[in-house]
Coordinates of all heavy atoms in Angstrom, one line a residue:
V148 N -0.2 -1.4 -18.9 CA -0.6 -1.4 -17.5 C -1.7 -2.5 -17.4 O -2.6 -2.6 -18.1 CB -1.1 -0.1 -17.1 CG1 -1.6 -0.2 -15.6 CG2 -0.1 1.0 -17.2
K149 N -1.5 -3.4 -16.4 CA -2.5 -4.4 -16.1 C -2.5 -4.7 -14.6 O -1.5 -4.5 -13.9 CB -2.2 -5.7 -16.9 CG -0.9 -6.4 -16.6 CD -0.8 -7.6 -17.4 CE 0.5 -8.4 -17.1 NZ 0.6 -9.6 -17.9
A150 N -3.6 -5.2 -14.2 CA -3.7 -5.6 -12.8 C -2.9 -6.9 -12.5 O -3.1 -7.9 -13.2 CB -5.2 -5.9 -12.4
L151 N -2.0 -6.8 -11.6 CA -1.1 -8.0 -11.3 C -1.6 -8.9 -10.2 O -1.0 -9.8 -9.8 CB 0.3 -7.5 -10.9 CG 1.1 -6.7 -12.0 CD1 2.5 -6.3 -11.5 CD2 1.2 -7.5 -13.3
G152 N -2.8 -8.5 -9.7 CA -3.3 -9.3 -8.5 C -2.5 -9.1 -7.3 O -2.2 -8.0 -7.0
K153 N -2.1 -10.2 -6.6 CA -1.3 -10.0 -5.4 C 0.2 -10.3 -5.6 O 0.5 -11.4 -6.2 CB -1.9 -10.9 -4.3 CG -3.3 -10.6 -3.9 CD -3.8 -11.4 -2.7 CE -5.2 -11.0 -2.3 NZ -5.3 -9.7 -1.8
I154 N 1.0 -9.5 -5.1 CA 2.5 -9.7 -5.2 C 3.0 -9.8 -3.8 O 2.5 -9.1 -2.9 CB 3.2 -8.7 -6.0 CG1 3.2 -7.3 -5.3 CG2 2.7 -8.6 -7.4 CD1 4.1 -6.3 -6.0
R155 N 4.0 -10.5 -3.5 CA 4.6 -10.7 -2.2 C 5.6 -9.6 -1.8 O 6.5 -9.3 -2.6 CB 5.3 -12.1 -2.1 CG 4.4 -13.3 -2.3 CD 5.1 -14.6 -2.4 NE 5.9 -14.7 -3.6 CZ 7.2 -14.8 -3.6 NH1 7.9 -14.9 -2.5 NH2 7.9 -14.9 -4.8
I156 N 5.3 -9.0 -0.7 CA 6.2 -7.9 -0.3 C 7.6 -8.4 0.0 O 8.6 -7.7 -0.4 CB 5.6 -7.2 1.0 CG1 4.3 -6.5 0.7 CG2 6.6 -6.3 1.6 CD1 3.6 -6.0 1.9
D157 N 7.7 -9.6 0.5 CA 9.1 -10.2 0.8 C 9.8 -10.5 -0.4 O 11.1 -10.8 -0.3 CB 8.9 -11.4 1.7 CG 8.3 -11.0 3.1 OD1 8.6 -9.9 3.5 OD2 7.6 -11.9 3.7
A158 N 9.2 -10.5 -1.6 CA 9.9 -10.8 -2.8 C 10.4 -9.6 -3.5 O 11.0 -9.6 -4.6 CB 9.0 -11.6 -3.8
I159 N 10.1 -8.4 -3.0 CA 10.5 -7.1 -3.5 C 12.0 -6.9 -3.0 O 12.3 -6.9 -1.8 CB 9.7 -5.9 -3.0 CG1 8.2 -6.1 -3.6 CG2 10.2 -4.6 -3.5 CD1 7.3 -5.1 -3.1
L160 N 12.9 -6.9 -4.0 CA 14.3 -6.8 -3.6 C 14.7 -5.3 -3.4 O 15.6 -5.0 -2.6 CB 15.2 -7.4 -4.8 CG 14.8 -8.8 -5.1 CD1 15.7 -9.3 -6.3 CD2 15.0 -9.7 -3.9
S161 N 14.1 -4.4 -4.1 CA 14.4 -3.0 -4.0 C 13.2 -2.2 -4.4 O 12.4 -2.7 -5.2 CB 15.7 -2.5 -4.7 OG 15.4 -2.7 -6.1
A162 N 13.1 -1.0 -3.9 CA 11.9 -0.1 -4.2 C 12.3 1.3 -4.2 O 13.2 1.7 -3.4 CB 10.7 -0.4 -3.3
S163 N 11.7 2.1 -5.0 CA 12.0 3.6 -5.0 C 10.7 4.3 -5.5 O 10.0 3.9 -6.4 CB 13.1 3.9 -6.0 OG 13.4 5.3 -6.0
V164 N 10.3 5.3 -4.7 CA 9.1 6.1 -5.1 C 9.4 6.9 -6.4 O 10.4 7.5 -6.5 CB 8.8 7.1 -3.9 CG1 7.6 8.0 -4.3 CG2 8.4 6.3 -2.7
I165 N 8.4 6.8 -7.3 CA 8.5 7.6 -8.5 C 8.0 9.0 -8.3 O 6.8 9.2 -8.2 CB 7.7 6.9 -9.7 CG1 8.1 5.5 -9.9 CG2 7.9 7.7 -11.0 CD1 9.5 5.3 -10.4
E166 N 9.0 9.9 -8.1 CA 8.6 11.3 -7.8 C 7.9 11.9 -9.1 O 8.4 11.7 -10.2 CB 9.8 12.1 -7.4 CG 10.5 11.6 -6.2 CD 9.7 11.8 -4.9 OE1 8.7 12.4 -4.9 OE2 10.2 11.2 -3.9
G167 N 6.8 12.6 -8.9 CA 6.1 13.1 -10.0 C 5.1 12.2 -10.6 O 4.5 12.5 -11.7
S168 N 4.9 11.1 -10.0 CA 3.8 10.1 -10.5 C 2.6 10.3 -9.7 O 2.6 10.9 -8.6 CB 4.3 8.7 -10.4 OG 4.6 8.3 -9.1
W169 N 1.4 9.7 -10.1 CA 0.2 9.9 -9.4 C -0.6 8.6 -9.6 O -0.7 8.0 -10.7 CB -0.6 11.1 -9.9 CG -2.0 11.2 -9.2 CD1 -2.2 11.9 -8.1 CD2 -3.2 10.6 -9.6 NE1 -3.5 11.9 -7.7 CE2 -4.2 11.1 -8.6 CE3 -3.6 9.8 -10.6 CZ2 -5.5 10.7 -8.7 CZ3 -5.0 9.4 -10.7 CH2 -5.9 9.8 -9.7
C170 N -1.3 8.2 -8.5 CA -2.3 7.1 -8.6 C -3.3 7.4 -7.5 O -3.0 8.1 -6.5 CB -1.7 5.7 -8.5 SG -1.0 5.3 -6.8
P171 N -4.5 6.9 -7.6 CA -5.5 7.1 -6.6 C -5.1 6.6 -5.2 O -4.5 5.6 -5.0 CB -6.8 6.4 -7.1 CG -6.5 6.1 -8.5 CD -5.0 6.0 -8.7
V172 N -5.4 7.4 -4.2 CA -5.1 7.1 -2.8 C -6.3 6.2 -2.2 O -7.5 6.6 -2.4 CB -4.9 8.3 -1.9 CG1 -4.8 7.9 -0.4 CG2 -3.7 9.1 -2.4
N173 N -6.0 5.1 -1.6 CA -7.0 4.2 -1.0 C -7.3 4.8 0.4 O -6.6 4.4 1.4 CB -6.5 2.8 -1.0 CG -7.6 1.8 -0.5 OD1 -8.5 2.2 0.2 ND2 -7.4 0.5 -0.8
Q174 N -8.2 5.7 0.5 CA -8.5 6.3 1.8 C -9.0 5.3 2.9 O -8.7 5.5 4.1 CB -9.6 7.4 1.6 CG -9.1 8.6 0.8 CD -8.0 9.4 1.4 OE1 -7.7 9.2 2.6 NE2 -7.4 10.3 0.6
K175 N -9.7 4.3 2.4 CA -10.1 3.2 3.4 C -8.9 2.5 4.0 O -8.9 2.2 5.2 CB -11.0 2.2 2.7 CG -11.6 1.2 3.6 CD -12.6 0.3 2.8 CE -13.2 -0.8 3.7 NZ -14.1 -1.7 2.9
L176 N -7.9 2.2 3.2 CA -6.7 1.6 3.7 C -5.9 2.5 4.6 O -5.5 2.0 5.7 CB -5.8 1.2 2.5 CG -4.4 0.7 2.8 CD1 -4.5 -0.6 3.7 CD2 -3.6 0.4 1.6
I177 N -5.8 3.8 4.3 CA -5.1 4.7 5.2 C -5.8 4.8 6.5 O -5.1 4.8 7.6 CB -5.0 6.1 4.5 CG1 -4.1 6.0 3.3 CG2 -4.5 7.2 5.5 CD1 -3.9 7.3 2.5
Q178 N -7.1 4.9 6.5 CA -7.9 4.9 7.8 C -7.7 3.7 8.6 O -7.6 3.8 9.8 CB -9.4 5.2 7.5 CG -10.2 5.5 8.7 CD -9.8 6.8 9.3 OE1 -9.5 7.8 8.6 NE2 -9.7 6.8 10.6
D179 N -7.6 2.5 7.9 CA -7.4 1.3 8.7 C -6.0 1.2 9.3 O -5.9 0.7 10.4 CB -7.6 0.1 7.7 CG -7.8 -1.2 8.4 OD1 -8.5 -1.2 9.4 OD2 -7.2 -2.2 8.1
I180 N -5.0 1.7 8.6 CA -3.7 1.8 9.2 C -3.6 2.7 10.4 O -3.0 2.4 11.4 CB -2.7 2.3 8.1 CG1 -2.5 1.3 7.0 CG2 -1.3 2.6 8.7 CD1 -1.7 1.8 5.8
Y181 N -4.4 3.8 10.3 CA -4.5 4.7 11.5 C -5.3 4.1 12.6 O -4.8 4.2 13.8 CB -5.1 6.0 11.0 CG -5.3 7.0 12.1 CD1 -4.2 7.8 12.5 CD2 -6.5 7.2 12.8 CE1 -4.4 8.8 13.5 CE2 -6.7 8.1 13.8 CZ -5.6 8.9 14.1 OH -5.8 9.8 15.1
D182 N -6.4 3.4 12.3 CA -7.2 2.9 13.4 C -6.7 1.6 14.0 O -7.0 1.3 15.2 CB -8.7 2.7 12.9 CG -9.4 4.0 12.5 OD1 -9.0 5.0 13.1 OD2 -10.3 3.9 11.7
N183 N -6.0 0.8 13.2 CA -5.6 -0.5 13.7 C -4.1 -0.7 13.4 O -3.7 -1.6 12.6 CB -6.4 -1.6 13.0 CG -7.9 -1.4 13.2 OD1 -8.4 -1.7 14.2 ND2 -8.5 -1.1 12.1
P184 N -3.2 0.1 14.1 CA -1.8 0.0 13.8 C -1.2 -1.4 14.1 O -0.2 -1.8 13.5 CB -1.2 1.1 14.8 CG -2.2 1.3 15.8 CD -3.5 1.1 15.1
H185 N -1.9 -2.1 15.1 CA -1.3 -3.5 15.4 C -1.4 -4.4 14.2 O -0.6 -5.3 14.1 CB -2.2 -4.0 16.6 CG -3.6 -4.2 16.3 ND1 -4.5 -3.2 16.3 CD2 -4.3 -5.3 15.9 CE1 -5.7 -3.6 16.0 NE2 -5.7 -4.9 15.7
K186 N -2.4 -4.2 13.3 CA -2.5 -5.1 12.1 C -1.3 -4.9 11.2 O -0.9 -5.8 10.5 CB -3.8 -4.8 11.4 CG -5.1 -5.3 12.0 CD -6.3 -4.8 11.3 CE -6.3 -5.1 9.8 NZ -7.5 -4.6 9.2
Y187 N -0.7 -3.7 11.2 CA 0.4 -3.4 10.3 C 1.7 -3.3 10.9 O 2.7 -2.8 10.3 CB 0.0 -2.1 9.5 CG -1.3 -2.2 8.8 CD1 -2.5 -1.8 9.5 CD2 -1.4 -2.6 7.5 CE1 -3.7 -1.9 8.8 CE2 -2.6 -2.6 6.9 CZ -3.8 -2.3 7.5 OH -5.0 -2.4 6.9
A188 N 1.8 -3.7 12.2 CA 3.0 -3.5 13.0 C 4.2 -4.3 12.3 O 5.4 -3.8 12.4 CB 2.8 -4.0 14.4

């Protein structure tokens, strides 16, 4: 496992949620998505 820096969303060809996995939730990011939906439209 290593930090990959920034990856391009448009370069992701397919994705699937790994059920049963865990990583820390970025609460600041979630709050920003809720407060500023236009930024993520």
Side-chain angles (χ1 to χ4, degrees):
V148 178
K149 63 178 181 179
L151 296 181
K153 295 185 180 296
I154 66 171
R155 294 173 294 119
I156 294 174
D157 295 328
I159 298 176
L160 305 178
S161 66
S163 181
V164 174
I165 305 294
E166 302 292 350
S168 64
W169 180 89
C170 68
V172 173
N173 185 339
Q174 295 293 348
K175 185 177 179 181
L176 172 60
I177 291 178
Q178 190 63 43
D179 195 44
I180 293 172
Y181 178 80
D182 292 337
N183 304 289
H185 61 279
K186 287 173 53 178
Y187 303 89

